[in-house]
Amino acid sequence: MKNTLTSDNLSEMILQEYPDGFSAESGLTERQTKCSYNGTKVQSKQLFFDGVMIQYGKYSFQNSLILNSSFDHPIVEMHFCLDGQISGKLENGEHSLSYVPESKGQFFYDKSSSLEGVEISFTPQYFQRFKNQDCKTIEIFLEAIEKQRVHQLPNNGKIDPVMRNIIGQIISNPFKGTIKRLYIEAKTIELLSAQLDFFEQQFGIKDKNYKLSNDLEKLLYAKFLIEQHLCNPPT
């Protein structure tokens, strides 16, 4: 799996490679990057495990930048713009959800601007776990995946305090090893649930009988147990 970044401002192509399906032999892989080039400063953190990739980043741009990005596998992607803006994509404090069978796009950054954001990508195989959830939004995305059709919700949402709190817990927490993997996965699903709940209410299609499947309930219960034992997590 490859993510390719190019720009007229960059003399070299940036290539980010991942194992198939974001698999991680140790259960969870972490990468951190800090660099500066031609007036652009990047500080990012990546976390990925089977079927899920999380990228948190802080960026500053001394000069305007047009970035071309492509990813060679289909993904369902959550975007959260915590500070700043991506011209034509997300304003400050907005979030979005989309499916792209082939991810290609341009991102515009203004001169003397900065950005803080989070992207969470699911493989279609991982997202299939959410079927039979009695959730209209999930049904729409699963249909788009089946037909290999681009789909993005028509409006962006506003990031609320609950979402910001969950994002903070995903990016920074005291756990290690398997406990950290379980915690981050459960928090990621919790964040997706908060996003889905927002869009379901916005579009007036929320099902009052919405209920997570047993597998997802178990993950969230594991997260609850970990939070109750912060000083001595269960193993």
Side-chain angles (χ1 to χ4, degrees), residues 58-72:
K58 287 185 175 181
Y59 315 90
S60 64
F61 308 96
Q62 181 178 336
N63 306 307
S64 59
L65 177 68
I66 300 176
L67 190 64
N68 304 299
S69 175
S70 65
F71 195 78
D72 65 353

Side-chain angles (χ1 to χ4, degrees), residues 28-81:
L28 175 69
T29 298
E30 298 187 50
R31 296 176 180 173
Q32 297 201 45
T33 301
K34 189 174 183 180
C35 64
S36 178
Y37 180 79
N38 197 23
T40 297
K41 295 182 179 180
V42 176
Q43 184 175 347
S44 70
K45 180 178 184 178
Q46 291 184 336
L47 304 163
F48 60 87
F49 51 88
D50 293 349
V52 181
M53 195 275 284
I54 302 161
Q55 177 160 310
Y56 165 77
K58 287 185 175 181
Y59 315 90
S60 64
F61 308 96
Q62 181 178 336
N63 306 307
S64 59
L65 177 68
I66 300 176
L67 190 64
N68 304 299
S69 175
S70 65
F71 195 78
D72 65 353
H73 279 67
I75 50 173
V76 177
E77 193 161 49
M78 307 163 67
H79 281 270
F80 297 86
C81 185

Side-chain angles (χ1 to χ4, degrees), residues 1 18-30 46-54 120-123 126 129 170 177 180-189 219:
M1 303 175 75
Y18 306 93
D20 288 344
F22 300 121
S23 63
E25 291 184 3
S26 60
L28 175 69
T29 298
E30 298 187 50
Q46 291 184 336
L47 304 163
F48 60 87
F49 51 88
D50 293 349
V52 181
M53 195 275 284
I54 302 161
I120 300 180
S121 303
F122 301 97
T123 64
Y126 188 95
R129 299 174 61 184
I170 290 172
K180 184 170 186 174
R181 151 71 190 271
L182 286 172
Y183 182 82
I184 289 176
E185 184 170 13
K187 280 292 180 181
T188 299
I189 292 171
L219 268 175

Side-chain angles (χ1 to χ4, degrees), residues 66-190:
I66 300 176
L67 190 64
N68 304 299
S69 175
S70 65
F71 195 78
D72 65 353
H73 279 67
I75 50 173
V76 177
E77 193 161 49
M78 307 163 67
H79 281 270
F80 297 86
C81 185
L82 302 175
D83 188 40
Q85 65 175 7
I86 305 174
S87 299
K89 303 287 185 180
L90 286 175
E91 298 296 322
N92 191 359
E94 288 187 340
H95 64 90
S96 66
L97 182 64
S98 61
Y99 167 71
V100 282
E102 185 179 5
S103 179
K104 289 185 178 181
Q106 278 192 330
F107 298 90
F108 302 88
Y109 305 99
D110 294 329
K111 181 179 179 180
S112 302
S113 65
S114 61
L115 172 69
E116 180 182 8
V118 174
E119 299 172 7
I120 300 180
S121 303
F122 301 97
T123 64
Q125 293 78 11
Y126 188 95
F127 201 80
Q128 294 280 350
R129 299 174 61 184
F130 304 128
K131 65 182 179 181
N132 302 322
Q133 295 297 308
D134 296 322
C135 174
K136 186 65 177 177
T137 305
I138 288 179
E139 290 177 8
I140 292 170
F141 274 88
L142 289 176
E143 182 180 355
I145 290 171
E146 181 181 356
K147 295 182 178 180
Q148 290 290 287
R149 183 181 65 213
V150 174
H151 183 72
Q152 180 164 354
L153 294 177
N155 298 303
N156 297 329
K158 296 296 291 184
I159 301 173
D160 61 29
V162 172
M163 294 179 186
R164 285 187 180 272
N165 185 51
I166 297 171
I167 289 170
Q169 292 168 331
I170 290 172
I171 302 306
S172 179
N173 62 74
F175 307 113
K176 296 181 180 180
T178 302
I179 294 297
K180 184 170 186 174
R181 151 71 190 271
L182 286 172
Y183 182 82
I184 289 176
E185 184 170 13
K187 280 292 180 181
T188 299
I189 292 171
E190 185 179 3

Side-chain angles (χ1 to χ4, degrees), residues 210-228:
Y210 174 75
K211 190 176 186 297
L212 291 171
S213 69
N214 289 334
D215 286 345
L216 302 187
E217 282 185 325
K218 289 174 183 176
L219 268 175
L220 292 177
Y221 182 63
K223 187 246 336 175
F224 168 78
L225 290 178
I226 293 169
E227 290 177 333
Q228 297 303 305

